Amino acid sequence: EDQVTQSPEALRLQEGESSSLNCSYTVSGLRGLFWYRQDPGKGPEFLFTLYSAGEEKEKERLKATLTKKESFLHITAPKPEDSATYLCAVHVYGQNFVFGPGTRLSVLP
Amino acid sequence: GAGVSQTPSNKVTEKGKYVELRCDPISGHTALYWYRQSLGQGPEFLIYFQGTGAADDSGLPNDRFFAVRPEGSVSTLKIQRTERGDSAVYLCASSSGIGTEAFFGQGTRLTVV
């Protein structure tokens, strides 16, 4: 069965304190791995797509990386406005997107 | 419109009633997805359309749930004989093709009382 797990479940950082979020997956036939940000009461907002091991994508303070079994979302010098739930999803060949449970990030000023 | 639009944004209904939730995807997007999200959880897959046909409906929890996309654009998720356990945020997403990123609407918060 295709599975996606994320750790930690919740993370509190001080403003400027860099860290990483983990997404681990067990799937057969990965077509792509996606990172989303979700604010309370909103739908998920697309951040990155990664297709192959070794690939990296960057956007502002965020960088996503991919290996054969996991992906990391690195947050450099975060600001309070980076506070949100970060969701990881895998797209499996012939199937739909399977989401992880998310990591709730709080960045304190 | 520029993004995925879902209506209504909130729906409160009595147990046993029938509800319809509407999704208007990004123009030109052939793939459309319905997800359900409970508080503190990631989105849970319900059904996926490619064009007008349901390519994968394996996530529908039971036969009270049904979705259509008759013209390959707007989709409606229909829930019969609603139960309190159906209360959740129902999310719709669309994408331009297989393997490409999906863009989500704001969701419909369904509350069954």
Side-chain angles (χ1 to χ4, degrees):
Chain A
E1 182 183 340
D2 300 325
Q3 280 196 321
V4 180
T5 58
Q6 291 187 246
S7 62
E9 183 177 321
L11 181 63
R12 295 180 68 156
L13 300 173
Q14 290 296 132
E15 184 172 2
E17 180 186 1
S18 302
S19 189
S20 296
L21 312 182
N22 175 264
C23 169
S24 296
Y25 58 91
T26 306
V27 299
S28 52
L30 180 71
R31 184 181 286 275
L33 186 139
F34 301 81
W35 281 97
Y36 287 84
R37 168 192 171 128
Q38 187 172 29
D39 292 297
K42 306 282 189 182
E45 175 189 344
F46 170 72
L47 292 174
F48 302 110
T49 308
L50 300 166
Y51 290 109
S52 56
E55 189 175 359
E56 297 184 354
K57 294 274 180 72
E58 282 190 71
K59 179 181 178 181
E60 297 181 354
R61 295 177 293 281
L62 301 177
K63 183 169 83 172
T65 61
L66 181 66
T67 71
K68 287 187 178 180
K69 294 185 178 179
E70 58 189 350
S71 176
F72 290 94
L73 184 65
H74 307 278
I75 303 177
T76 302
K79 298 182 177 181
E81 53 262 43
D82 294 323
S83 297
T85 294
Y86 290 85
L87 295 164
C88 161
V90 295
H91 193 186
V92 182
Y93 275 92
Q95 297 185 35
N96 58 85
F97 292 86
V98 179
F99 279 84
T103 293
R104 295 189 308 280
L105 174 67
S106 300
V107 182
L108 307 176
Chain B
V4 177
S5 176
Q6 291 188 246
T7 54
S9 54
N10 278 285
K11 176 71 177 178
V12 180
T13 190
E14 292 181 348
K15 180 177 178 295
K17 298 289 188 182
Y18 168 83
V19 296
E20 290 189 352
L21 312 180
R22 175 188 167 106
C23 173
D24 200 339
I26 293 172
S27 178
H29 278 191
T30 57
L32 185 146
Y33 306 81
W34 282 100
Y35 284 81
R36 178 167 71 174
Q37 188 175 29
S38 300
L39 193 64
Q41 305 293 319
E44 173 194 18
F45 170 74
L46 295 176
I47 186 169
Y48 153 55
F49 288 89
Q50 183 63 37
T52 60
D56 183 358
D57 64 358
S58 61
L60 295 177
N62 52 60
D63 61 6
R64 296 187 297 105
F65 289 74
F66 189 71
V68 296
R69 194 186 185 198
E71 298 179 356
S73 178
V74 171
S75 176
T76 304
L77 178 65
K78 308 180 181 193
I79 309 174
Q80 298 178 318
R81 304 183 305 280
T82 52
E83 300 177 357
R84 293 196 179 87
D86 299 334
S87 297
V89 175
Y90 288 81
L91 295 166
C92 175
S94 69
S95 71
S96 59
I98 297 174
T100 63
E101 60 272 14
F103 295 92
F104 282 81
Q106 300 283 30
T108 293
R109 180 175 298 280
L110 175 66
T111 304
V112 182
V113 298

